[in-house]
Amino acid sequence: MKTNHFLSICLMFALFLTENGVVAVNAQENAGDFYVINGIVKDMRSKKPVEYVNVSASGTNIGTVTNEDGEFTLKLGKDLDTKELRLSCIGYYNARISITKTNREGATFFITPESYVLSEIQVFSWKNPRDLVKAALEKIESNYTMNPNRLTGFYRETIQKRRRYINISEAVIDVYKGPYNQSSDADRVKVLKGRKLISPKVADTLSVKLQGGPNMSVYMDMIKNPDLLLDHEIIQYYTYKMGETTSIDDRLQYVVHFEPQMILPYPLYLGTFYIDRETLSFTRAEFKMDMRDRQKVTQTILIEKPRGLRFTPEEVSYIVTYKLQGGKSYLNYLRNDIKFKCDWKRKLFATNYSVSGETVITDRDEQNVARIPAKEAFSIRKSLSQEVALYQDENFWEFYNIIEPTESLENAVNRLKKQHLKSQ
């Protein structure tokens, strides 16, 4: 198991605030050579917002995902001949929305839950789910690109102390990803631009280094890093069970649940694979670390902590998704959430912390791709919180696509901005 990647939670920095704030998304709207479409995606039946919906411009590699409030912002070049948006989400039919001047800003878009009625033969065509996983592994070279790619992505990490946000760091990243029949040794991440907002309160100071960070788009790619979940040797450590068939992007998916069937020196995972019924490509994985031995979990995710600090992991979870384009599957979205408690030996009560990192791939180039030089790559030994000032830019967003901030994030930023102004 690889444990040499981390997210550093180092909150001992000076407060840095820009005029626009961390989550200002409209600074460059309708400027230059692009225009902006934003709105909210809701369930047609319940009328509730839908999170993690893929929103893309038809005929392009450009896209983003909705936030937890169902909101999205998408920036498109004016030179693109794009007439519609495509919305897709697990368990929903695809939706195609014509782009008009009336629905470019603040519109509500609806997607319809799936209602497939499948025969027993269709649902259980694979009697042994382990054989299904093995068959999907055998088809990796035909399902994933054998060409190098340069990906543009948006990365955000947040830290909460109890229910209060105390750190928000964001970056636009460039990712080199080699062919999927090669290891990830040459895959690298370069930070193009970034910014941060952290709490000015001394009481929020904590220094803990954890697994995660901007390089999650390299090490969490389970297809290129099979030792995470999909190595032929590793799959024998798990039991598999078929779930109810669902759809993603209007394509039927086998659903395979897995959990550990043995105890090893390091923690295993429990979760769910979504496997395309037609191509047998892995479309999505949702999984958590087995928390039955928290000492092993701590050894896996904790890189460094101050002496005298007691660290107790509560939950470590992951989401990895791939998107089918032109007959091949490409990395699309990643999320890592770590919940833990910290307390000092002399204190009576522990404090709850939550760290979240998410990356959405917003664009992709497969033509004349060059590797990212090692000297330009973001080091796995550094944290975005510590280094983000090196990438600060007043025109941070420009034409780059992002994950729209949630209402809770905007409230946190507004609160911290008010605190900063009062302290001046």
Side-chain angles (χ1 to χ4, degrees):
M1 301 292 291
K2 296 182 179 179
T3 60
N4 61 338
H5 307 279
F6 66 89
L7 165 63
S8 178
I9 313 171
C10 296
L11 305 185
M12 298 176 287
F13 307 105
L15 176 66
F16 184 88
L17 282 170
T18 63
E19 180 67 23
N20 293 326
V22 169
V23 294
V25 298
N26 295 319
Q28 298 292 313
E29 276 193 20
N30 302 316
D33 297 324
F34 62 91
Y35 61 95
V36 176
I37 301 174
N38 59 54
I40 183 171
V41 180
K42 294 185 177 181
D43 184 297
M44 177 64 78
R45 296 175 184 170
S46 68
K47 311 305 180 187
K48 294 182 178 179
V50 184
E51 62 183 3
Y52 307 139
V53 178
N54 284 306
V55 182
S56 59
S58 296
T60 75
N61 297 322
I62 300 172
T64 186
V65 297
T66 60
N67 64 15
E68 295 176 4
D69 299 327
E71 299 170 338
F72 73 92
T73 293
L74 192 65
K75 297 182 179 182
L76 300 174
K78 293 179 179 178
D79 58 341
L80 294 175
D81 186 22
T82 304
K83 299 294 192 298
E84 64 178 14
L85 296 180
R86 184 173 181 177
L87 312 181
S88 63
C89 184
I90 182 172
Y92 289 86
Y93 293 113
N94 277 7
R96 294 180 179 273
I97 310 295
S98 296
I99 300 174
T100 66
K101 292 183 178 180
T102 58
N103 68 5
R104 283 190 182 183
E105 185 173 353
T108 299
F109 307 96
F110 292 96
I111 53 177
T112 305
E114 64 174 1
S115 57
Y116 291 112
V117 179
L118 302 174
S119 68
E120 185 175 348
I121 295 177
Q122 286 179 307
V123 176
F124 299 103
S125 56
W126 286 86
K127 295 182 179 180
N128 188 334
R130 187 187 303 273
D131 290 341
L132 171 58
V133 174
K134 289 181 178 179
L137 289 178
E138 296 298 326
K139 292 183 70 65
I140 284 179
E141 289 200 14
S142 60
N143 283 328
Y144 300 84
T145 180
M146 296 299 112
N147 298 319
N149 276 249
R150 285 291 284 264
L151 312 175
T152 301
F154 171 77
Y155 171 76
R156 175 187 289 142
E157 65 186 37
T158 62
I159 303 171
Q160 287 180 272
K161 182 179 181 180
R162 299 185 180 92
R163 295 184 178 182
R164 180 168 55 87
Y165 285 99
I166 59 174
N167 187 301
I168 305 168
S169 300
E170 302 173 320
V172 176
I173 60 174
D174 188 11
V175 183
Y176 171 82
K177 193 163 286 292
Y180 272 79
N181 60 352
Q182 298 179 8
S183 73
S184 61
D185 293 344
D187 294 3
R188 295 190 177 113
V189 174
K190 176 181 178 181
V191 175
L192 302 177
K193 297 186 178 185
R195 60 185 178 184
K196 70 174 179 179
L197 177 98
I198 66 174
S199 170
K201 292 187 176 180
V202 176
D204 290 333
T205 299
L206 178 69
S207 182
V208 176
K209 291 183 179 179
L210 301 174
Q211 184 185 45
N215 284 287
M216 66 193 300
S217 53
V218 173
Y219 77 86
M220 274 181 61
D221 186 344
M222 64 181 186
I223 305 301
K224 292 210 71 179
N225 294 286
D227 56 339
L228 182 64
L229 282 172
L230 293 174
D231 184 87
H232 283 279
E233 179 181 350
I234 288 177
I235 62 174
Q236 67 180 324
Y237 303 153
Y238 293 91
T239 59
Y240 299 89
K241 180 181 179 180
M242 294 298 294
E244 184 177 350
T245 300
T246 188
S247 72
I248 298 177
D249 206 9
D250 281 352
R251 298 180 64 87
L252 291 178
Q253 306 287 322
Y254 293 114
V255 178
V256 180
H257 305 296
F258 60 91
E259 61 181 27
Q261 67 172 347
M262 59 183 64
I263 298 175
L264 297 177
Y266 50 84
L268 296 176
Y269 302 89
L270 59 158
T272 304
F273 291 132
Y274 297 83
I275 301 174
D276 188 279
R277 186 173 181 272
E278 180 181 346
T279 66
L280 295 188
S281 62
F282 290 94
T283 304
R284 181 184 179 97
E286 304 167 359
F287 51 103
K288 299 180 180 180
M289 276 191 179
D290 184 354
M291 302 299 293
R292 287 178 293 183
D293 190 330
R294 302 197 180 198
Q295 184 176 357
K296 291 179 182 177
V297 174
T298 299
Q299 293 172 348
T300 300
I301 67 171
L302 180 63
I303 307 301
E304 183 180 313
K305 71 176 181 65
R307 180 178 298 179
L309 181 73
R310 290 184 291 201
F311 176 92
T312 306
E314 297 293 321
E315 182 177 294
V316 183
S317 60
Y318 305 87
I319 297 175
V320 183
T321 74
Y322 298 85
K323 187 174 183 179
L324 184 66
Q325 291 181 313
K328 299 291 183 180
S329 292
Y330 299 89
L331 189 65
N332 178 61
Y333 177 79
L334 311 101
R335 184 179 176 96
N336 176 204
D337 294 281
I338 301 177
K339 297 180 181 180
F340 60 96
K341 292 182 178 180
C342 282
D343 69 312
W344 297 93
K345 292 182 179 179
R346 295 183 179 180
K347 290 190 176 182
L348 183 61
F349 300 106
T351 302
N352 293 315
Y353 289 89
S354 299
V355 180
S356 297
E358 59 182 335
T359 298
V360 59
I361 303 304
T362 58
D363 204 353
R364 177 176 56 81
D365 185 7
E366 204 167 352
Q367 304 296 323
N368 302 316
V369 173
R371 292 185 179 183
I372 295 175
K375 64 181 180 180
E376 297 180 10
F378 191 82
S379 172
I380 60 175
R381 304 304 303 175
K382 295 180 179 179
S383 74
L384 181 64
S385 297
Q386 289 174 316
E387 304 294 321
V388 70
L390 299 176
Y391 308 98
Q392 184 68 30
D393 190 321
E394 292 183 1
N395 297 322
F396 179 80
W397 298 127
E398 290 184 336
F399 55 83
Y400 295 108
N401 280 292
I402 67 166
I403 301 172
E404 183 81 347
T406 61
E407 182 179 359
S408 60
L409 279 177
E410 289 193 354
N411 289 339
V413 171
N414 290 334
R415 173 178 52 79
L416 291 171
K417 287 173 69 176
K418 290 178 181 179
Q419 291 177 355
H420 177 69
L421 291 174
K422 289 180 180 179
S423 65
Q424 290 182 330

